[in-house]
Amino acid sequence: MCGIFGYVGPRDAVKVTINGLKKLEYRGYDSSGIAGIKDGKIVHCKEVGKIAVMESKANELNLKLDVAISQTRWATHGKPSRVNAHPHFDNDHTLALVHNGIIENHSALRKALEEKGSVFVSDTDTEVVAHLISSNYDGDILKAVQQSLPVLKGNYAIALVHKNHPHQIVVAAHEMPLAIGVGKDETFVSSDTNSFGSQVQEVVFLGEGEIAVIKKDQFSLYDSSMAPISKKTKVMAQQMEDISKGEYEHYTLKEIFEQPQSLRSALLSRCLDEYGTAILEGLNFEVTELLSVERILILACGTSLHAGYVASYMLEDMARIPTQIEISSEFRYKNPVIPPRTLVIAISQSGETADTLAAVREIKAKGGRILAICNVMGSSLAREADSCLYLRAGAEIGVCSTKAFTSQVTVLTLFTLLMARMRHMSKGQGSEILQALKKLPDQVQTVLDRHDEIQALAKKYSHHDNFFFLGRHFMYPAALEGALKLKEISYINANGYPAGEMKHGPIALINADCPSITLLANKATYEKMLSNLQEVKSRNGPILAIASEGAHGLEKLADDIFYVPETIDETAVIPTSVALQLFAYYVAKERGADIDQPRNLAKSVTVE
Ligand code: G6P
């Protein structure tokens, strides 16, 4: 995780850098810092908390810098504290360095450097990189960086300034994204090009093991052996999105309410009604290749994983393609068998999740083909995959994923439809799926319009500290996702469980203090769910049911019922999830949590 932003140019380097860094706050926000050179000396400011805290300190100190590097941190090694915040320095403060990633051999390096006289002040792995580079410095900073990098195990994107080279930033990357942004007489560096905004016209991504020296009007790129490389810059696609909160109190609420629009956008020009199938621009696999797919492997983390579960059920049910789903962080440490004709689908809102990227690279090394389902244009995953289907959900700022999830399910449903229609699914069945998809934006709007009912339910249940979310078949991933939302933003212990599995242990936890949110919108398993509700009720567990309009037999079992518009089982996860997002939001509000930036989390997890 963590975000890096740096600037060399004629403008106020502190202001420009902090403004850039704020756009990276989604990558971590427990502490931040900035450093640069002023009058031949390294000067810095670091603070615990959000970037605004560091910004006001920098203003109070009237900090002025000629070049600047900065970082927003999500703690891995060492708790959030001023001393652990980046940048880090060598003994004599000759250089300042920021780092994203993890240096796995930091303990051994620290010991070796201490023996040579380094004195460490922080608990971080990053500080060893600053000392290591300094120990290799003999007047040539580029050489010192190049000699230091092969010693590092792990992954990194680093940026550093050295007081003897006051007009430049040196950067390097290994398995972590870092981009150089070229402006008019000014140059930027960032871990995410979206933070550049309109001040940057062209970008260059650092490739594996590459090092660059960035100056105000030029940059030089080198490979790991220091051979100069020339790379073409790419024109930066300007994103003119509105990323203000508008009338909403939180980004999360705004994004929940944006879903009718984000779903329309996910579907736009992708439905081929005449043939009852989908047409997916960006899917640049040949028809023959798609037809020859015999297995699908889905990789993802967090909310994207839950969308992946829905897709895995659909791909088997509808397209009859054996589909396996794996948590990226688990998959990468297996020695996976990837049979020929396997298509790998990597799902990631940000396209920067380290575990998913690592799993994708492992598969690519084995010759596998990757389809990315991603929201962020130009992200690492989008660039590295063989093909990418974009969610078109617009920027998602709230740390807990909401609109991206429903768009992921929608795009994956379209992809499944295409694969199914290429095989044996009839046009009539395909049209039914399309009709259901097209109704979703209005159905979601219906749920949103009744937000006050959900708010009242949230108020009623918000004092409980333990919840179960129960569902079967398509409602099982919905239960996982509903529980994750509640955990993430209201810090309540919530377990998503397949309802049929409750009796194998978890039911022991059911009592009057542990409500179950039961999800009944999957018609195929409705009757079975009623039996599970009986079991919970017999043990005095409070029950809030989310069911489709027209469902019968619930009234005597559930304490509260919220009805969502009826749809087919494959798409039922969407209205149900929107209701659960609102539920989590209002519970979190009742409990006074920091909804957009919950404690300990980051929007994009760029470390293992
Ligand atoms: C983090 C976020 C989650 C997200 C997960 C995967 O944990 O807080 O909301 O679901 O990463 O992110 P991705 O960008 O790969 O979908």
Side-chain angles (χ1 to χ4, degrees):
M1 351 277 250
C2 312
I4 289 177
F5 198 92
Y7 174 75
V8 199
R11 290 191 280 154
D12 177 344
V14 173
K15 205 166 161 197
V16 175
T17 304
I18 292 180
N19 280 344
L21 194 64
K22 280 185 180 164
K23 297 191 187 123
L24 299 172
E25 201 158 30
Y26 72 90
R27 298 172 82 104
Y29 39 80
D30 60 39
S31 53
S32 63
I34 182 168
I37 299 169
K38 188 72 198 162
D39 303 329
K41 281 195 189 130
I42 298 279
V43 183
H44 76 273
C45 172
K46 309 203 263 187
E47 285 298 324
V48 176
K50 296 191 180 163
I51 296 169
V53 180
M54 188 269 285
E55 183 182 30
S56 34
K57 186 71 187 176
N59 288 340
E60 197 185 308
L61 296 171
N62 196 21
L63 188 72
K64 297 279 175 235
L65 297 170
D66 296 332
V67 298
I69 52 171
S70 64
Q71 202 242 24
T72 181
R73 180 170 186 248
W74 184 86
T76 56
H77 295 66
K79 63 181 185 201
S81 69
R82 196 179 289 160
V83 82
N84 286 336
H86 297 216
H88 289 282
F89 316 97
D90 57 336
N91 276 1
D92 301 325
H93 278 225
T94 57
L95 64 82
L97 176 140
V98 291
H99 161 228
N100 285 354
I102 291 182
I103 306 302
E104 287 163 1
N105 58 339
H106 69 100
S107 302
L109 289 174
R110 178 182 279 247
K111 204 162 161 247
L113 286 160
E114 274 171 344
E115 280 163 15
K116 287 202 233 155
S118 286
V119 178
F120 289 91
V121 295
S122 78
D123 306 316
T124 64
D125 52 336
T126 302
E127 197 183 359
V128 299
V129 187
H131 283 264
L132 179 66
I133 293 173
S134 181
S135 73
N136 284 324
Y137 179 71
D138 63 1
D140 184 342
I141 187 62
L142 198 54
K143 197 171 109 214
V145 172
Q146 188 237 345
Q147 284 176 348
S148 304
L149 298 183
V151 181
L152 304 177
K153 289 207 175 95
N155 47 30
Y156 52 80
I158 57 172
L160 70 94
V161 290
H162 194 288
K163 69 176 185 137
N164 297 347
H165 310 272
H167 306 296
Q168 66 181 40
I169 300 174
V170 180
V171 297
H174 167 60
E175 293 182 0
M176 283 274 140
L178 202 60
I180 299 169
V182 182
K184 259 193 164 196
D185 245 358
E186 52 186 4
T187 314
F188 306 76
V189 62
S190 174
S191 33
D192 178 350
T193 56
N194 291 307
S195 64
F196 289 143
S198 56
Q199 55 201 353
V200 160
Q201 286 81 50
E202 294 183 338
V203 292
V204 160
F205 291 95
L206 252 71
E208 199 37 47
E210 290 174 2
I211 307 171
V213 177
I214 298 172
K215 297 188 177 165
K216 105 174 144 63
D217 46 7
Q218 62 171 72
F219 65 88
S220 332
L221 263 180
Y222 304 89
D223 69 12
S224 54
S225 66
M226 286 310 291
I229 330 173
S230 80
K231 259 192 196 177
K232 277 205 174 132
T233 53
K234 286 188 186 162
V235 176
M236 167 107 173
Q238 295 301 340
Q239 301 199 344
M240 303 302 280
E241 276 181 57
D242 170 19
I243 48 170
S244 67
K245 273 188 247 177
E247 68 198 78
Y248 295 94
E249 196 179 339
H250 295 99
Y251 282 109
T252 305
L253 190 63
K254 177 179 176 242
E255 288 156 11
I256 293 172
F257 272 83
E258 274 171 358
Q259 287 175 106
Q261 186 48 40
S262 54
L263 292 174
R264 276 189 195 102
S265 170
L267 291 168
L268 189 71
S269 65
R270 285 172 166 170
C271 302
L272 203 56
D273 296 303
E274 208 186 331
Y275 298 99
T277 189
I279 174 166
L280 298 169
E281 94 295 339
L283 185 67
N284 47 20
F285 291 124
E286 297 293 330
V287 172
T288 45
E289 191 175 355
L290 291 175
L291 273 171
S292 69
V293 170
E294 285 176 6
R295 303 182 65 84
I296 291 180
L297 167 64
I298 299 179
L299 296 166
C301 300
T303 289
S304 299
L305 180 75
H306 300 155
Y309 276 117
V310 179
S312 71
Y313 290 4
M314 285 191 298
L315 282 158
E316 289 210 344
D317 280 7
M318 286 159 53
R320 309 301 299 151
I321 303 173
T323 304
Q324 176 190 352
I325 172 151
E326 295 267 4
I327 301 169
S328 309
S329 55
E330 284 299 310
F331 175 82
R332 60 183 293 196
Y333 292 107
K334 292 179 172 179
N335 183 12
V337 179
I338 316 277
R341 300 170 192 266
T342 300
L343 174 69
V344 177
I345 304 182
I347 312 170
S348 173
Q349 186 284 130
S350 63
E352 300 296 349
T353 300
D355 285 316
T356 302
L357 284 171
V360 159
R361 287 169 189 153
E362 173 65 21
I363 289 162
K364 282 192 91 174
K366 287 181 158 32
R369 298 277 279 164
I370 317 283
L371 168 63
I373 307 289
C374 189
N375 197 31
V376 179
M377 293 186 82
S379 60
S380 301
L381 179 63
R383 283 182 281 120
E384 290 182 33
D386 297 292
S387 183
C388 180
L389 293 178
Y390 283 108
L391 303 181
R392 305 177 186 157
E396 194 180 63
I397 310 288
V399 165
C400 85
S401 189
T402 52
K403 62 177 178 173
F405 174 72
T406 48
S407 293
Q408 283 167 339
V409 172
T410 303
V411 172
L412 285 159
T413 311
L414 287 167
F415 176 72
T416 306
L417 175 62
L418 176 74
M419 294 297 268
R421 285 284 290 126
M422 285 172 101
R423 288 166 171 77
H424 55 272
M425 183 185 265
S426 71
K427 185 178 153 194
Q429 286 170 310
S431 297
E432 254 176 61
I433 310 276
L434 280 182
Q435 290 322 309
L437 281 170
K438 285 176 163 185
K439 281 187 195 158
L440 284 171
D442 289 340
Q443 292 183 323
V444 164
Q445 189 60 56
T446 313
V447 175
L448 296 172
D449 290 345
R450 291 163 51 211
H451 62 93
D452 45 352
E453 288 172 51
I454 300 179
Q455 185 164 14
L457 290 167
K459 200 174 164 96
K460 176 175 172 187
Y461 285 87
S462 63
H463 66 280
H464 291 283
D465 292 323
N466 292 294
F467 280 80
F468 274 108
F469 282 69
L470 305 177
R472 283 172 177 261
H473 198 210
F474 286 108
M475 286 299 120
Y476 167 47
L480 294 175
E481 179 57 10
L484 181 63
K485 291 306 90 165
L486 196 64
K487 276 188 269 226
E488 281 180 311
I489 59 173
S490 63
Y491 316 144
I492 289 174
N493 177 34
N495 275 304
Y497 239 86
E501 190 64 11
M502 277 297 280
K503 56 179 87 64
H504 301 293
I507 202 164
L509 298 173
I510 295 286
N511 62 27
D513 287 333
C514 179
S516 293
I517 314 293
T518 55
L519 311 180
L520 294 110
N522 193 70
K523 292 190 203 88
T525 53
Y526 182 75
E527 298 298 331
K528 297 279 172 219
M529 277 299 294
L530 290 185
S531 312
N532 298 131
L533 262 70
Q534 288 281 10
E535 291 156 10
V536 172
K537 193 176 168 64
S538 312
R539 286 153 186 89
N540 296 323
I543 296 175
L544 163 58
I546 316 266
S548 294
E549 275 157 7
H552 295 295
L554 266 177
E555 304 73 14
K556 290 201 180 103
L557 290 171
D559 298 281
D560 295 286
I561 308 172
F562 184 82
Y563 290 103
V564 288
E566 193 190 348
T567 176
I568 55 174
D569 283 356
E570 287 76 4
T571 48
V573 69
I574 291 182
T576 294
S577 294
V578 173
L580 295 177
Q581 292 165 358
L582 284 171
F583 181 76
Y585 175 83
Y586 289 121
V587 170
K589 209 171 155 213
E590 273 305 309
R591 293 172 71 116
D594 184 347
I595 297 178
D596 282 338
Q597 293 184 323
R599 70 181 183 208
N600 305 341
L601 302 186
K603 180 94 190 131
S604 180
V605 180
T606 57
V607 292
E608 280 187 50

